[in-house]
Amino acid sequence: MTPALTSSASRINAAARSALTHPHDDKDIVDEPVPQRFLRKPLTVNVIGACFSGGQPHSGVDMGPEMLVKHGLLRQLSELGWQLENEKPNFHKYDQYKDEPGMTDRVGRLKNARYVSRVAQSIFQSVQMSCSLGNLALTLGGDHSLAMGTVAGSCAVYKDVGVLWIDAHADINTPATTTSGNLHGCPVSFLLGLAGHVEGFEWLQPCLRPSRICYIGLRDVDQAEKRILRDHGIRAYSMHEVDRWGIGAVVDRALDYLGRSTPLHVSFDVDALDPSVAPATGTPVRGGLTFREGHYIMEAAYQTGCLVAVDLMEVNPTLGNHKAMTETVEIGCSLVRSALGE
């Protein structure tokens, strides 16, 4: 999983080879919508606006959900034929979950630990409720520590859910291996039960097996995280594999691995995209997914007919200039549309 400097030409060639060697049943753009086997009819999306930045150091990521909606996301989903469970979603600020002023909210190396836990538990309850009603749970973040709650919520309803984690980073540091103490780099270890007992997180029991998560887009992975991935046999496709095989083959392999008839949860951190595509995010890493590669992943997830939850995380409208903000927010909207059938 070494960082890869991407080449559009080489990827086009890889994609062409993939089309010959890995044929699949993608729907044409003019085909009827794909039936969604785990969602009730009419298809309904519950938008969970999680305005939260406590799992990392950059302010502004808490403004991502409102900015996505301001750019027309709800209207766009309605135009795709989805019913909105909440036409005016609440944008929770979560100030009530902070410790009293003057208290130090650290547990070992972990920063804002109790704050992150309380917010993640709230998100867990929202996603669990949405899934139990047969709605698609769409969580707009907010930083990726929120995925402790989103994935735990879908796992509470769908016992064999597969998680497709799209990210430049593995987010699988444990409280013992993290060097920054930022919990947006740790959610997967908590979901897998690798974090051990952490004060304040008693509500979060291990809910995800290593065989039920698959990564795409990795290129900035700590040495300790690489050991964890290897030791637990976790399937991970880095940018090296994307360059070598093409995005079509990588996505086919990922979905085959997770299963094409089991519930699917996609957790997408926009830093999976190359910074030239989505610059307004807190931890950009060169050599990422192209515009089309990111959208292809979401299109393929929709085409399984198994989606139950989607996270879009780490859009930070305050980073960069107006052009950077607009590009990233608009791409965030289009990624969600692709996951919902555009």
Side-chain angles (χ1 to χ4, degrees), residues 90-271:
N90 293 320
F91 294 105
H92 300 286
K93 303 298 184 182
Y94 306 112
D95 288 342
Q96 72 273 25
Y97 294 127
K98 292 181 178 178
D99 277 349
E100 293 294 327
M103 292 183 64
T104 300
D105 187 8
R106 292 184 74 115
V107 176
R109 300 178 184 177
L110 301 178
K111 301 172 183 175
N112 299 326
R114 286 177 289 272
Y115 183 31
V116 170
S117 176
R118 293 165 189 151
V119 173
Q121 185 174 16
S122 173
I123 296 296
F124 159 75
Q125 293 165 348
S126 296
V127 173
Q128 181 183 32
M129 177 63 71
S130 176
C131 290
S132 67
L133 294 174
N135 297 337
L136 179 77
L138 172 61
T139 304
L140 306 177
D143 73 64
H144 218 167
S145 67
L146 294 165
M148 294 185 205
T150 65
V151 174
S154 63
C155 286
V157 177
Y158 301 104
K159 299 306 180 185
D160 201 33
V161 67
V163 177
L164 194 58
W165 194 282
I166 316 301
D167 207 318
H169 311 90
D171 295 350
I172 200 170
N173 269 305
T174 69
T177 65
T178 178
T179 57
S180 70
N182 296 322
L183 274 160
H184 75 156
C186 303
V188 178
S189 74
F190 280 79
L191 294 164
L192 294 173
L194 305 179
H197 177 265
V198 179
E199 179 188 345
F201 286 86
E202 289 81 7
W203 66 272
L204 181 55
Q205 298 301 306
C207 58
L208 189 67
R209 301 192 308 276
S211 62
R212 301 307 298 149
I213 184 170
C214 183
Y215 291 93
I216 296 178
L218 297 183
R219 59 193 183 277
D220 185 12
V221 182
D222 296 343
Q223 289 300 318
E225 292 181 299
K226 291 180 182 180
R227 286 194 297 272
I228 293 170
L229 294 173
R230 286 194 299 266
D231 290 348
H232 293 275
I234 296 171
R235 186 67 59 94
Y237 295 104
S238 71
M239 288 307 302
H240 177 83
E241 282 78 36
V242 174
D243 286 340
R244 181 181 181 185
W245 297 326
I247 195 64
V250 167
V251 173
D252 273 354
R253 294 177 188 210
L255 293 176
D256 287 344
Y257 174 74
L258 292 173
R260 293 180 180 267
S261 61
T262 53
L264 180 64
H265 184 141
V266 177
S267 196
F268 199 117
D269 185 326
V270 296
D271 73 20

